[in-house]
């Protein structure tokens, strides 16, 4: 079983050796601006490894996902503007008793990280850092 694991392709085959998540975000990250319910959010990509680790940590692919923890992790690490969302994560939307915006934002973030363009109604402007 270990042999089979070693023979698998890595999740990020072009990753330079020794590149930390912090360095990835500084030098290789993509950015995108989306407008949801009148608020402009600036998104910054994370490494594929970080994203997959968050999925595993929150059990997104299991029968008992922790969706609020997953959304909180994404908001704190992918949204770079407004700063309140980056700092407070889901707590920002809890304080406003807003469920619509974080649901739409989650869809936009997942689409952005997976490299798919959304055909939704939000205004999108793609940018590269």
């Amino acid at each position: 079983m270990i042999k089979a694991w070693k023979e698998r392709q890595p999740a990020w085959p072009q990753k330079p050796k020794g590149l930390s998540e912090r360095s990835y975000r500084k030098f290789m990250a993509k950015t995108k601006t989306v407008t949801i319910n009148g608020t402009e959010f600036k998104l910054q990509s994370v490494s594929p490894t970080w994203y997959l680790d968050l999925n595993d940590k929150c059990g997104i692919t299991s029968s008992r996902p922790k969706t609020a923890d997953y959304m909180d992790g994404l908001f704190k690490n992918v949204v770079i503007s407004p700063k309140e969302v980056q700092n407070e994560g889901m707590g920002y939307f809890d304080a406003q008793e807003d469920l619509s915006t974080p649901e739409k934002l989650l869809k936009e973030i997942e689409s952005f990280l997976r490299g798919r363009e959304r055909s939704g109604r939000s205004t999108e402007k793609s940018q590269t850092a």
Side-chain angles (χ1 to χ4, degrees):
M1 182 167 167
I2 293 175
K3 184 178 180 182
W5 178 79
K6 287 182 179 179
E7 291 175 0
R8 276 192 320 196
Q9 293 293 327
W12 186 15
Q14 298 84 19
K15 178 182 178 185
K17 291 185 183 213
L19 183 66
S20 68
E21 181 65 24
R22 183 176 181 159
S23 296
Y24 174 86
R25 292 181 191 189
K26 183 174 182 183
F27 298 110
M28 299 180 70
K30 298 176 296 181
T31 62
K32 179 178 182 178
T33 302
V34 295
T35 302
I36 299 170
N37 295 341
T39 304
E40 194 170 272
F41 297 91
K42 186 170 184 181
L43 312 178
Q44 178 176 305
S45 64
V46 292
S47 72
T49 302
W50 184 92
Y51 179 66
L52 294 172
D53 285 345
L54 180 68
N55 275 297
D56 292 344
K57 177 183 168 190
C58 297
I60 295 303
T61 56
S62 73
S63 61
R64 299 182 67 188
K66 299 176 184 172
T67 308
D69 291 343
Y70 175 69
M71 292 172 78
D72 187 60
L74 285 176
F75 295 162
K76 288 180 177 178
N77 289 280
V78 177
V79 177
I80 57 175
S81 175
K83 286 291 185 189
E84 298 84 11
V85 176
Q86 182 183 26
N87 294 333
E88 300 172 32
M90 244 341 255
Y92 174 79
F93 299 106
D94 288 342
Q96 298 180 14
E97 297 183 5
D98 181 5
L99 186 59
S100 172
T101 304
E103 285 180 332
K104 291 176 183 176
L105 182 57
L106 175 64
K107 289 178 184 175
E108 292 294 338
I109 290 172
E110 288 181 329
S111 174
F112 169 65
L113 293 178
R114 294 175 186 213
R116 295 182 290 202
E117 289 298 318
R118 298 244 331 129
S119 58
R121 295 181 179 159
S122 64
T123 304
E124 301 179 10
K125 296 180 272 183
S126 296
Q127 301 173 347
T128 305

